[in-house]
Amino acid sequence: MWDDEVDVVCCGLGLGALAAAVAAVDADLDVFVARPGNLSSPESARPGGVVPWLGAGIEDPETREYFDELSADLDALAGSEPDTNLSIRTVGEWTPVTGRGRIAPFYGDRLREWAHRCLVSPYGVLYTRLTDRGTTPMKAASGEEIQVKVVGVLETDQATNPASALSDWLLAQVRERQIPISDNSTLQRIVFEEGEVLGAVIDTADGPLALRARHGVAIATDPHPAGPGAATGPLTEPGRPLQVGLVGYTASRFGRIELLQPETDGARSAFCHSGRNYDGRREPGRSHARRGREMHRYPPFGQ
């Protein structure tokens, strides 16, 4: 049934798919990246002209039901506008709650709000597996704990739009790591077995490609056209390094690319280590499985 096997399949036009691919390759995982040629077409709208926030254009009933269930309780999505701003968040080191009988609080409603924020953002990503993605707990300015997977450091020599700078930076990281991208390729459907995601079928120029994904599928949120009054956000400060991080919450399938800066207390936070460990000599596009590695030796996605 399967045409090939990889660790992670990354799909979508949004930058979240590229960031997830870079993070996976840095963790020595094998990835397949499928990138559509353009934004969702009008044909992808449902009756009434509503374009789904996730998986627009996918007609497979099982996949459509899976996506719809993920946003079924997000009532506010119906009247939402795309959030095109790239978040720049101040973070610090997370100090775990200690003491007998004390645990960090968990807020279920926060996960609903976070899912909404990721879905309306062109920088969001959905992970089909709730596995350890090698994230580090960090403290947000609000004092809450977030999970961060640092992808690298973005630094510009002139004031520029952060979204444009991020796009150029991510594409440069993809080229540097020689990550192959299947252009003009779209997600046709997710393959399930007894409710578990086993892989995905990708529509390519050469026909459908069935890929088994040992550590799941990462699906970027679709970039929706911004309204005429949409804000563009502040310009980046020349020479000031910012961490590019995939940010999420414990127990959430959703993540989002954000730019991170340490608390200005004169100390260098632990998150300022990108953790890059990719092997530049790795043969691009060649699957680990085809090089004879045993499946049980694969680390969890993100480790």
Side-chain angles (χ1 to χ4, degrees), residues 36 105 113 119 196 207 276:
E113 178 187 353
L119 281 169
E196 179 183 357
R276 289 171 53 183

Side-chain angles (χ1 to χ4, degrees), residues 64-146:
R64 186 72 267 154
E65 181 182 7
Y66 175 74
F67 286 151
D68 290 347
E69 286 183 352
L70 289 172
S71 57
D73 61 342
L74 305 180
D75 298 333
L77 277 176
S80 295
E81 292 292 332
D83 179 10
T84 57
N85 286 328
L86 177 60
S87 176
I88 301 179
R89 191 195 294 250
T90 300
V91 296
E93 294 186 32
W94 172 256
T95 302
V97 176
T98 59
R100 185 175 180 180
R102 298 181 62 198
I103 60 174
F106 179 82
Y107 302 101
D109 287 345
R110 186 174 293 165
L111 297 186
R112 183 184 295 112
E113 178 187 353
W114 175 246
H116 180 277
R117 290 165 62 186
C118 292
L119 281 169
V120 301
S121 168
Y123 310 107
V125 61
L126 164 71
Y127 305 102
T128 61
R129 282 196 182 182
L130 279 174
T131 56
D132 180 9
R133 293 185 285 271
T135 58
T136 300
M138 300 299 304
K139 182 181 69 174
S142 61
E144 61 185 348
E145 178 188 359
I146 57 175

Side-chain angles (χ1 to χ4, degrees), residues 9-13 17 32-36 180-183 185-187 202:
V9 176
C10 301
C11 309
L13 190 61
F32 182 93
V33 182
R35 295 267 288 174
I181 294 180
S182 178
D183 290 318
S185 298
T186 58
L187 176 65
I202 307 297

